[in-house]
Amino acid sequence: MQIDDYIRLTGTDMLARLARREVSATTLADCALRRIEQVDDRLNAFCHIDERATRDAAAAADERYRSGQPMGRIDGLPVAVKDAFDMIGWPTRDGSKLTDSQAKTFDAPTVTACRRHGFVPAGKTTTPEFGWKAVTDSPLTGITRNPWNTNMTCGGSSGGSAAAVAAGVTPVALGADTGGSIRIPASFCGAVGFKPSHGHAPTLPGSHHDKLTERGPITRTVQDAATLIDVITESDPSTPQHGGDESRSDRAMAGDIRGLRIAFSPALGFDVDVDPQIAAALEHCADLLASHGARVVRTDPPIHPDTGSLRDSYHQLFFTETAVMARNWSAAQIETLDAPLQPMVQRYLQASAADYLAADSERVALMQRMSDFHRDYDLVLCPTAPVLPFEAGREVPADWPHERWTSWAVFAWPWNMSGQPAITVPCGFGDGERPIGAQFVGARHADHLVMRAGRVLQQTHPLTDRAPRLG
């Protein structure tokens, strides 16, 4: 198979061809590895490759297809894996010099689920140090760049996964989202990114940021995201979460949006400057949805009357749990961290239990306000981010008035606090071929409605025929 043919295929296309025995998993794996060789010197999306492990997994899938016993929903499909997920035989570095290169002896539940369904791991993808920010660069791996414009950031923290999908290395990738870490890089890279309702994707007990984080897919199409979410939200006996079937793809892919009540909120009521190109793209999305029978009303959800106060609460929850990892580190070790992360760790190491519980009370109050709001509205439509992809290596745009990433990611992290499902779908491009994403947010456990709206928008306004000009 020629690379030009491979990179045009969606995951659904690949799986159909595998089932018909028109292509082998070994061929697909070979294409993924060749594509990494072609483009990754310009992107730096991958931090660990194990060609033998990739080819062995593909060969095993081919044997299952030959015997007429494919193992699951994604048997033989190449998948990129964020380097925050533990995988047997692969190291987990989390973008940090404080981690070691020893191969793991166990899988994260998300990886376990993918193994049950026969995935072929193409490699592990880059992340900022411990996933601490919404762009992807780290002291360990350097800067990861955007396939659409390599001068620009790919977003983060699942930036390597988003770049891999956008560049055509794999049609799907695994990500984790604590404050927009799936949706922001997917939006910046012109991909689909889905964060399910909190608790739907099993995780090990005691995982960091457990109140905020959810695991999910980054893909080219909503259909592929629905397939992968079916896999990773299966129940796992090693975890306290049940998982569930609320986001099953048959529900998400069926039906239309006629009669759905959509609250269109161009800035979520926050005092933040939205790039005019993004604002125009979202207005167009709202018009398209209305033309397909949705009841679109311009209104703001009751997130918080004081943006700064809510952001402080998010910081308290997020950075306190980040700082917990540093409790036994020496001063010299802390000095090896990404420079802007160091003062945040030192500050939140001093946080009290009362501070943390007060912030958690804000989280619960937000959950209640949004639950009440969704009695009147099925979905929220808003931008994924107020800014276009900006210069790689920066935490914030050059002319931005604040220094922390949470100030421009303000359309993303509130939904981690509230635990709601959210999807970003490509909806346009700004100048310099910089992608724009539209975000749908639903009530907790209404994952199928979120994905349905995303599917309708993508079918109505498809951008999948456009690809970065990487060669």
Side-chain angles (χ1 to χ4, degrees), residues 65 78 182 322 328 354 377 402:
Y65 278 107
I182 288 172
T322 301
N328 298 318
Y377 297 95
H402 306 286

Side-chain angles (χ1 to χ4, degrees), residues 67-152:
S67 66
Q69 296 179 322
M71 194 157 69
R73 296 287 302 276
I74 55 173
D75 204 1
L77 188 68
V79 180
V81 180
K82 182 179 182 177
D83 190 33
F85 292 99
D86 292 324
M87 292 175 57
I88 294 171
W90 301 59
T92 301
R93 299 303 307 273
D94 269 322
S96 179
K97 295 178 179 178
L98 294 176
T99 58
D100 62 56
S101 58
Q102 292 295 310
K104 296 295 182 180
T105 58
F106 56 89
D107 285 334
T110 302
V111 175
T112 299
C114 289
R115 285 199 200 277
R116 283 198 302 268
H117 287 262
F119 88 137
V120 175
K124 297 194 80 175
T125 57
T126 53
T127 177
E129 192 162 25
F130 301 116
W132 86 272
K133 57 185 177 181
V135 294
T136 301
D137 58 76
S138 77
L140 182 68
T141 59
I143 297 171
T144 300
R145 298 179 179 276
N146 195 317
W148 291 93
N149 183 333
T150 55
N151 293 319
M152 302 298 161

Side-chain angles (χ1 to χ4, degrees), residues 42-56:
R42 286 168 281 168
L43 301 179
N44 188 35
F46 285 84
C47 57
H48 189 77
I49 304 295
D50 185 336
E51 291 194 12
R52 180 175 178 179
T54 299
R55 295 186 191 282
D56 285 350

Side-chain angles (χ1 to χ4, degrees), residues 380-393:
V380 175
L381 169 66
C382 65
T384 307
V387 298
L388 294 167
F390 49 87
E391 183 184 351

Side-chain angles (χ1 to χ4, degrees), residues 25-39:
T26 296
T27 296
L28 296 178
D30 181 65
C31 287
L33 293 170
R34 282 191 287 147
R35 186 61 172 166
I36 293 172
E37 290 180 0
Q38 280 187 349
V39 302

Side-chain angles (χ1 to χ4, degrees), residues 221-254:
T221 67
V222 177
Q223 175 66 69
D224 284 355
T227 298
L228 195 55
I229 206 68
D230 280 358
V231 170
I232 66 176
T233 56
E234 287 184 346
S235 296
D236 188 303
S238 69
T239 74
Q241 296 99 331
H242 169 66
D245 63 358
E246 291 89 345
S247 54
R248 298 292 298 183
S249 62
D250 53 357
R251 297 184 68 195
M253 295 297 105

